[in-house]
Amino acid sequence: MSMQTIFVMSDEASALSELCAGAGAVAARVTAILFGSEAEAAGAAGCGADRLLYCQPSDGAVPEDYAAAVAQEVKKEASALVIVNNTIRGRCLAGKLGVLLDTAVLTGVNALERSGEELVCCRMVYGGMAQRSEVFTKPYGVLTVGGGVFEAAAEPAQAAVAPFEGLPQGGLKRIACTPKKEGGVDLVAAKRIVDVGRGLAQEADLELCRKLAAALGAEVGCSRPVAENNKWLPKSNYMGITGVQVKPELIVALGVSGQIQHIGGINKSRVIVAVNKDKSAPIFKNADFGVVGDLYKVVPALIEKLS
């Protein structure tokens, strides 16, 4: 299906530049919809879209409550693709839009390509064991894209900013909102990352990793078990197919086994340096440089050399 118009939607202004760059590379027209204030929209006007519509959810409403209004806006085009930021709110919105537009929803798309008149969507399947290419056969399509998949344009165009005309429709009303207390880092923007895996013996040893990160001028990220199972770092810090996908100049993997789910989030790094005491660890197949050794001996030596 030929789709010359792409709608990009996000509840985070910081995600628009990347998403619009990916959309602009394969479409003639890009419309961005930001669920945020007029001030946030003004700050994000240089996202590269042709126009930027902002929608400040009314009291008690959430982005997915505007799904019907968004679908009406999309249907003004004979055919269109909808890209939604891969957040919790974004996935809820994508599901509703799929129903209202009578189409499928592809999650975790990591590439968009033009093949003649068709837009080809690529994503990992079978836990990262394979890459699948798919096209929409209906006039509309909906997909979710995470951070780090596209690269923001160096000189993006300024979008024409206007309010989104639409009212919320929802059966639930939000009565309270408590911000998360956990801190996080912007791993997508990081040039250097220290990647912590399950080879770390205890949470207190994170301090050693942070010292190496400080010496390198890097941020600290991790594999999914470190964040979700051990809860040593915020979930926003884990990298992988279902987490953040990064493209740093350098990533130093400490005690990372290198399972395909994690590699899918770091394999676009320019240089990968791995430290693992298991010489058979899969990470070494994906590393540019590898050190077979105890990270508790290797890392202090690295810090000393870098200090």
Side-chain angles (χ1 to χ4, degrees):
M1 179 64 65
S2 177
M3 297 176 179
Q4 295 299 326
T5 298
I6 293 182
F7 288 83
V8 170
M9 302 178 194
S10 176
D11 57 341
E12 298 177 347
S14 60
L16 286 180
S17 293
E18 287 185 19
L19 297 179
C20 289
V26 294
R29 297 174 298 278
V30 178
T31 293
I33 298 179
L34 171 65
F35 293 95
S37 66
E38 181 178 2
E40 289 176 308
C47 62
D50 297 295
R51 59 176 182 148
L52 170 58
L53 306 178
Y54 64 89
C55 175
Q56 176 72 67
S58 57
D59 290 341
V62 289
E64 59 265 32
D65 292 340
Y66 292 85
V70 168
Q72 289 179 0
E73 183 70 25
V74 173
K75 286 181 178 179
K76 291 178 181 179
E77 301 286 340
S79 65
L81 187 70
V82 180
I83 299 177
V84 185
N85 192 26
N86 193 33
T87 61
I88 294 175
R89 294 261 73 95
R91 291 191 291 272
C92 289
L93 175 61
K96 282 195 169 185
L97 287 174
V99 173
L100 293 166
L101 295 173
D102 188 28
T103 189
V105 177
L106 300 182
T107 59
V109 170
N110 57 34
L112 272 179
E113 304 168 353
R114 265 289 168 198
S115 179
E117 289 297 311
E118 292 186 324
L119 271 178
V120 182
C121 307
C122 306
R123 58 178 179 153
M124 293 283 191
V125 293
Y126 304 123
M129 297 299 292
Q131 180 93 334
R132 176 184 289 167
S133 298
E134 299 168 292
V135 296
F136 288 99
T137 57
K138 292 191 173 183
Y140 305 105
V142 181
L143 52 90
T144 67
V145 177
V149 172
F150 302 129
E151 188 170 344
E155 297 181 1
Q158 290 285 321
V161 179
F164 176 74
E165 303 294 342
L167 297 175
Q169 297 179 22
L172 298 175
K173 180 180 180 180
R174 184 181 63 200
I175 59 174
C177 181
T178 303
K180 286 184 178 180
K181 294 182 179 180
E182 69 175 26
V185 295
D186 186 0
L187 293 176
V188 174
K191 297 298 183 183
R192 298 175 181 178
I193 298 173
V194 172
D195 183 7
V196 182
R198 287 180 292 178
L200 206 66
Q202 57 186 348
E203 184 177 4
D205 297 337
L206 279 171
E207 187 58 31
L208 180 65
C209 303
R210 292 190 177 103
K211 287 181 179 179
L212 177 60
L216 289 169
E219 300 287 359
V220 176
C222 63
S223 60
R224 183 170 183 168
V226 173
E228 290 214 332
N229 298 350
N230 298 347
K231 303 186 187 304
W232 291 350
L233 287 170
K235 292 181 181 179
S236 57
N237 283 52
Y238 85 72
M239 300 170 287
I241 293 174
T242 57
V244 180
Q245 297 181 40
V246 299
K247 303 175 184 177
E249 296 174 355
L250 169 69
I251 194 163
V252 180
L254 305 177
V256 174
S257 62
Q259 297 303 313
I260 189 65
Q261 293 87 348
H262 186 64
I263 294 300
I266 68 171
N267 58 4
K268 293 182 181 179
S269 305
R270 183 175 298 177
V271 176
I272 298 177
V273 178
V275 179
N276 198 302
K277 64 182 179 181
D278 180 5
K279 65 180 180 180
S280 301
I283 186 66
F284 289 123
K285 294 180 180 180
N286 297 277
D288 298 284
F289 300 95
V291 177
V292 179
D294 186 344
L295 70 87
Y296 291 98
K297 295 180 180 179
V298 174
V299 173
L302 280 175
I303 294 171
E304 183 179 354
K305 288 291 185 180
L306 292 168
S307 298

